[in-house]
Amino acid sequence: MDFELPPHVIEFRNTVKRIIRDVVTPEMIDEMHTSGTFTNHTLNRALAKEGLLERAVPGMGMGDPLELWVLFNELEKAGAPYDGISTSIMVAGVVQQVGTDEQKQAMIPTVVSGEALVCMGYSEPDYGSDVASIVTRAVRDGDEFVINGAKMWTTMAHEAKWLILLTRTDTEVPKHKGLTMFLLSMDTPGITVEPVHTMGTERTNATFYDNVRVPVSAVLGEINGGWRTMAVALAFERGVMGGTNVAVPMLRHFRKWAAKHIGDDGVALIDDTLVRERLARIAIDNEVAKLLTQRSAWIAASGGLPGLEGSMTKVFASEAYQKAVRWCQQMAGPAGLLQFHEPNAAADGWIEYDSRHSPVTTIYGGTSEINRNNIAERHLGLPKAR
Amino acid sequence: MRLGLTDDQLAIKEVFAGFFGKESTPAVVRAAEPGGFDPKLWRRVCETGAPGMGVAEDAGGGGASLGDLAVVAEEFGRSIAPIPLIDHQVAARVLARFGGARTDVTDGETLASFALRPAVNGSWWLVPGGSVAGLTIGLDGDELVAVESAPPAAAPRNHAAQPLADRSTAGARTVLASGDAAHAAFDRALNEWKTLTAATLVGIGAQALHMALDYVQSRIQFGKPIGAFQAVQQSLADLPIAIDGGRLLAHKAAWAGDNEAAGVDGHLDIDDNDNSNFAVLAGMAFVFNADGAAHATDRSLHFHGGYGFAEEYDIQLFYRRARGWALVYDDPARECGRLADTMFGPRESVR
């Protein structure tokens, strides 16, 4: 195997690193934690200005497909606000793959210029893991569809220009076969957004659809082909576009703090043998999470759709992160309880933040159990258990 | 970047999967217990060229890279073959690197072993392959030496079912390197051993998963195969993740080792998760796969129910070796301590 990135991808990575150095300030990161909105217009524009966003869109052919992974991996390691732009680039890739020319022309330039964000409406109040059972209805009315229903966890809906929306268009067929995805503007009359605040500070939303009228041309993919469009989106989401190396900045923050934190016995925390063993194990898991992510990116770059590999990556990385967070908060002792800006907070408050953030990572984008079902059925060949 | 095997490696994999599948069946593995060595299998493996495969071509070997050897090691692990193949390959490479390549070692006619710990009081403790090797390579003070002596007749009975033995530094002794060069050569060889052992453990874990899948699909309880139950499925679904991740890590270590041998130094920045350092990757691969193989064999044995505990079933053979073949070196937790020294620096506040 060859683990060396091609020279043009290394150059791309260096450009991302330079922009992060120039643009991402502690104040910017602070603002993201205060507002709960994990996106930043200045950063998005700076990335767009150097052409990095258009290069990262899957299937556009502007850059090496590995660059999608490189872009979000660097932003993630820096702790930068990238949730908005990662979702948007990923959906731009879906539009590139299954959208009409009209949709591509309307939507992709607004995203790759760093001006517009996209939010995703899949889950509903009553349907999360069983997303194929959603009940938001889209009913054909001449050249239009009329949409009624409600969605949960529509993160960035309060900032986004675009929405991709999973609806039910046929109730007479098996549940996976009656779904249709739409791409529409958040300006469309009939959409309302209500904030949902979370333990991890991140703001998400509930969104409501009241007689929302869209033209037939707003269908993304095929009518009743919404499940396939979802599969494309999920293959990008799980394991390529970020969320798999969150423990890297956490280890960095903890390690730096532990080197300065001297215990009652005069020994620095970093010199404690148990701490060292655990930090080494976190570093090993970080390397493996990176390799699994790289494999997904490499498969995508070689023309494949890494759905199953993405499931593996997501399960491993999110669970390793949770284990690492639990260790770090415990090892920090009472200092691990203190929040950002409190004196003597472990790792300047990062450990406490990670402890609040980590629970969601085994839930969003497909729970660990749903991903394990995928692996058991499609990789191990075991019978369907549901 | 290429995160799959090359066509040549796929061919190597097929050859050795076929060889070990045919020659190292569970019956052969059982017959070699408790000593853990089958001389007939060793003679057969010598015919494939595997013992000297990693020796440079100009020294009379096969010129295989560490990456190629990792492919062979995984198939070797899959069959838990009762021969000290990895130990011999590592020892043969050390000899060749210091100009001492011997045809009898490259061919495998003389079995060589590599002592994983420096000698203490004139003795290397529990050398893998030590009960059958005529040549022992190891660190003795500030010298890396090759010692020729007759192996003891028997191995102590052990959980790894390996031909282990304590070996004396006395005998016909050749100094391969001295001073810093000796320590560097020892470290290099130990990193090669960790890398190839990691790949072996990937094979053990993969085979344990394969056996578990066969069993849970044929064992019927409550009117259906136990593999249809979600509790069983969810637990088994973890195994391919650890196996695939472990394989990538072992191959990354091998890649870094091949680069190091070619004079390309690795890079280490843990804060940025950017790491191509051979020593660190070899240690990581050892730890991750020691834990991974232990877990895979644990789950597989468990899902065999009581039969998994029965001597008659094969999974117990894999369960013991998954632990033993790593612990002949050391506890993965202690290896984490050594990794921490490299990654985070020495323990400065402790005197």
Side-chain angles (χ1 to χ4, degrees), chain A residues 37-274:
Chain A
T37 298
F38 287 21
T39 188
N40 184 282
H41 203 63
T42 308
L43 173 60
N44 297 348
R45 271 193 185 151
L47 293 166
K49 194 166 153 242
E50 305 226 19
L52 304 191
L53 297 184
E54 63 184 9
R55 284 176 62 158
V57 174
M60 284 260 285
M62 306 286 285
D64 189 301
L66 291 171
E67 291 170 6
L68 173 70
W69 162 70
V70 170
L71 174 63
F72 295 115
N73 187 243
E74 292 302 327
L75 290 167
E76 173 172 55
K77 288 189 297 184
Y82 76 94
D83 289 7
I85 201 66
S86 67
T87 306
S88 303
I89 292 293
M90 194 258 302
V91 175
V94 177
V95 171
Q96 174 66 31
Q97 187 149 336
V98 304
T100 62
D101 287 345
E102 189 191 339
Q103 286 170 329
K104 289 179 198 172
Q105 282 156 19
M107 183 264 197
I108 295 175
T110 68
V111 170
V112 299
S113 62
E115 298 302 324
L117 297 179
V118 187
C119 60
M120 303 183 296
Y122 302 159
S123 290
E124 296 185 357
D126 291 333
Y127 298 98
S129 288
D130 183 14
V131 72
S133 292
I134 54 114
V135 294
T136 290
R137 286 280 279 142
V139 177
R140 185 77 179 251
D141 180 18
D143 289 340
E144 293 184 325
F145 278 94
V146 183
I147 302 171
N148 280 285
K151 293 287 175 182
M152 276 303 284
W153 322 121
T154 333
T155 305
M156 295 294 158
H158 61 297
E159 296 280 339
K161 173 176 170 53
W162 300 101
L163 161 74
I164 58 168
L165 187 64
L166 189 68
T167 66
R168 179 155 308 285
T169 35
D170 192 337
T171 55
E172 304 301 313
V173 291
K175 61 184 181 179
H176 294 87
K177 295 184 175 166
L179 299 169
T180 300
M181 191 79 86
F182 289 91
L183 172 68
L184 59 156
S185 167
M186 283 298 289
D187 297 342
T188 315
I191 303 177
T192 50
V193 179
E194 295 286 342
V196 174
H197 299 289
T198 69
M199 179 173 86
T201 325
E202 296 127 294
R203 173 196 164 153
T204 181
N205 303 289
T207 46
F208 302 91
Y209 307 87
D210 182 15
N211 286 321
V212 174
R213 286 188 165 268
V214 292
V216 173
S217 61
V219 171
L220 183 59
E222 305 283 326
I223 293 174
N224 291 337
W227 192 249
R228 196 190 110 64
T229 305
M230 278 280 289
V232 174
L234 287 174
F236 293 136
E237 182 173 353
R238 293 172 184 158
V240 178
M241 63 155 221
T244 61
N245 252 177
V246 209
V248 173
M250 197 200 57
L251 176 62
R252 182 174 69 236
H253 294 135
F254 185 87
R255 185 191 68 77
K256 287 182 175 168
W257 173 75
K260 291 182 303 184
H261 185 76
I262 310 295
D264 295 340
D265 55 359
V267 173
L269 192 59
I270 188 89
D271 290 340
D272 178 279
T273 50
L274 177 62

Side-chain angles (χ1 to χ4, degrees), chain B residues 130-209:
Chain B
S131 73
V132 291
L135 188 72
T136 309
I137 291 173
L139 198 61
D140 185 16
D142 287 330
E143 290 179 335
L144 185 73
V145 296
V147 173
E148 195 145 13
S149 58
R157 288 173 299 119
N158 65 84
H159 194 82
Q162 273 202 4
L164 304 172
D166 298 350
R167 294 301 297 263
S168 166
T169 57
R173 177 185 167 103
T174 310
V175 176
L176 301 174
S178 311
D180 290 347
H183 288 278
F186 174 77
D187 290 347
R188 163 84 203 181
L190 186 57
N191 291 333
E192 291 191 357
W193 186 90
K194 287 177 198 170
T195 301
L196 296 179
T197 296
T200 304
L201 292 164
V202 171
I204 294 181
Q207 183 61 20
L209 171 59

Side-chain angles (χ1 to χ4, degrees), chain A residues 247 250 281-282 285-286 289 314-327 362:
Chain A
M250 197 200 57
R281 289 189 186 277
I282 295 170
D285 285 349
N286 285 347
K314 192 194 177 261
V315 169
F316 180 81
S318 57
E319 295 187 357
Y321 170 53
Q322 290 181 351
K323 181 176 69 179
V325 171
R326 191 168 66 248
W327 278 346
T362 47

